[in-house]
Amino acid sequence: MFALDLHVMFAIASTLAVVVATLEGAVRAVRARPAGVAAGRTRTVVVLVVAMTAAVGVALLVADHHPKEWLHLIYAALAFSLVPVADNAGTMLRSDRGKGLARLGGGLVCLVVVTRLFVTG
């Protein structure tokens, strides 16, 4: 089934995007640098790729190909929102290191959620 293969391909791309966003946060945390262009771009890429993955997932759901566990849908919503929410939470912190740590923490939690997505899909 083409849509299922496309969903898996986007899921792998989502994982890679989250890894890059998490590494970007780690670099900012270590160097205590402010968020730059890379922070915004990685956040945008994560949101877009996860949204494309979810769109294909909805198409699969409409085509009566449901996930093994319905918790998969909640994990998808979490994966979509964790990196942007971590970035927004980081804006409340004063230090650049804290903002980087917020992105790093959000990215690590997102990686756990993405792992659960692969298990429950």
Side-chain angles (χ1 to χ4, degrees):
M1 174 180 252
F2 174 73
L4 185 59
D5 294 336
L6 189 62
H7 188 63
V8 171
M9 183 183 74
F10 279 139
I12 292 168
S14 296
T15 304
L16 293 175
V18 171
V19 166
V20 170
T22 304
L23 290 175
E24 188 276 330
V27 168
R28 276 195 292 140
V30 168
R31 294 185 178 174
R33 297 273 172 108
V37 175
R41 287 185 180 164
T42 54
R43 180 182 53 246
T44 301
V45 168
V46 166
V47 169
L48 286 175
V49 176
V50 172
M52 289 188 303
T53 307
V56 176
V58 168
L60 285 168
L61 195 60
V62 169
D64 204 30
H65 184 75
H66 59 86
K68 289 186 251 182
E69 295 181 31
W70 289 103
L71 204 54
H72 189 80
L73 304 176
I74 294 170
Y75 288 139
L78 280 172
F80 181 77
S81 62
L82 273 168
V83 171
V85 167
D87 284 350
N88 286 336
T91 60
M92 294 186 294
L93 302 172
R94 295 184 190 265
S95 72
D96 292 328
R97 177 166 280 130
K99 292 175 184 177
L101 286 171
R103 164 69 75 92
L104 175 62
L108 290 173
V109 172
C110 192
L111 286 172
V112 171
V113 168
V114 168
T115 302
R116 286 295 300 156
L117 277 164
F118 277 104
V119 172
T120 61

